[in-house]
Amino acid sequence: MAGSTLHSHNGEIVTVAAVEPFVADVRREWDWIRPGIEEILRNSKALTYRAEDVYAACVNQQAVLWVTSEGFVVSTTETDTFTGKKTMFLWLAWAKEKGNSLVSKYQSFFERVAREAGYSYLETRSPFLGLMPHLESHGWSIDTVVYTREL
């Protein structure tokens, strides 16, 4: 299970549940995050990448894996070509138990981290319209709706 490694006063190494998300090594966490990524992919047929692509992005430092005892988030950086402003894109988010409002629980953490790193925006995407009222109630707004027609 993901956690922070601490050394106790008697030299024991102990793992404790993180209070805030922390950056983790995808190689160490892969066994428990892979099924979460695969669940996300099963539930959204429009996604074209594989779980291994997420792994590769993290290993190659194109994405960051954040973990807590409750789940994980994978983020990337997007830069606006015209303004140069950076967006912290919350690419994937998965919770062990659904319905615990982890968006609201960790939103201020990700806002703080993004500000400190020089980002101008937080962004996430979802094909699930049911998420919209929840995100809007926490200060998020719709920027773009994408329509697709298969040829």
Side-chain angles (χ1 to χ4, degrees), residues 7 13 15 38-39 47 57 65 70 73 83 103 121 142:
H7 297 274
I13 296 175
T15 302
E38 290 171 342
E39 178 183 320
L47 299 177
L65 172 63
E70 298 160 297
V73 167
T83 66
V103 169
Y121 307 99
I142 297 172

Side-chain angles (χ1 to χ4, degrees), residues 2 7-8 10 15 23-24 26 37 39 42 48 56 60 62 72-73 82-83 85 90 92 106 111 114 134 136:
H7 297 274
S8 69
N10 63 4
T15 302
V23 175
V26 71
I37 295 168
E39 178 183 320
R42 271 192 313 276
T48 58
N60 292 312
Q62 299 165 327
F72 66 85
V73 167
F82 305 106
T83 66
K85 289 184 177 181
L90 305 178
L92 299 169
Y106 293 114
E111 287 175 355
H134 180 71
E136 287 179 327

Side-chain angles (χ1 to χ4, degrees):
M1 163 74 45
S4 296
T5 302
L6 303 173
H7 297 274
S8 69
H9 67 280
N10 63 4
E12 278 182 14
I13 296 175
V14 294
T15 302
V16 295
V19 175
E20 291 186 328
F22 64 94
V23 175
D25 181 348
V26 71
R27 288 178 180 99
R28 291 184 180 190
E29 309 298 336
W30 187 242
D31 289 342
W32 75 271
I33 69 162
R34 181 182 182 147
I37 295 168
E38 290 171 342
E39 178 183 320
I40 291 167
L41 293 171
R42 271 192 313 276
N43 291 332
S44 184
K45 301 300 180 200
L47 299 177
T48 58
Y49 53 86
R50 300 168 55 121
E52 292 82 3
D53 296 323
V54 177
Y55 181 92
C58 292
V59 167
N60 292 312
Q61 299 179 352
Q62 299 165 327
V64 177
L65 172 63
W66 304 86
V67 298
T68 71
S69 59
E70 298 160 297
F72 66 85
V73 167
V74 179
S75 67
T76 63
T77 298
E78 295 187 353
T79 303
D80 185 295
T81 305
F82 305 106
T83 66
K85 289 184 177 181
K86 292 189 322 180
T87 296
M88 182 180 196
F89 174 50
L90 305 178
W91 178 21
L92 299 169
W94 180 84
K96 292 176 184 176
E97 292 183 32
K98 311 304 182 235
N100 289 333
S101 194
L102 296 181
V103 169
S104 60
K105 180 175 182 177
Y106 293 114
Q107 181 171 314
S108 62
F109 167 81
F110 283 107
E111 287 175 355
R112 179 174 43 86
V113 167
R115 274 192 203 94
E116 290 171 0
Y119 290 94
S120 298
Y121 307 99
L122 276 182
E123 181 179 312
T124 194
R125 299 174 193 147
S126 175
F128 304 109
L129 296 177
L131 190 58
M132 191 177 356
H134 180 71
L135 288 173
E136 287 179 327
S137 73
H138 288 92
W140 294 74
S141 60
I142 297 172
D143 182 53
T144 303
V145 176
V146 176
Y147 296 93
T148 303
R149 179 179 171 98
E150 189 171 336
L151 300 176

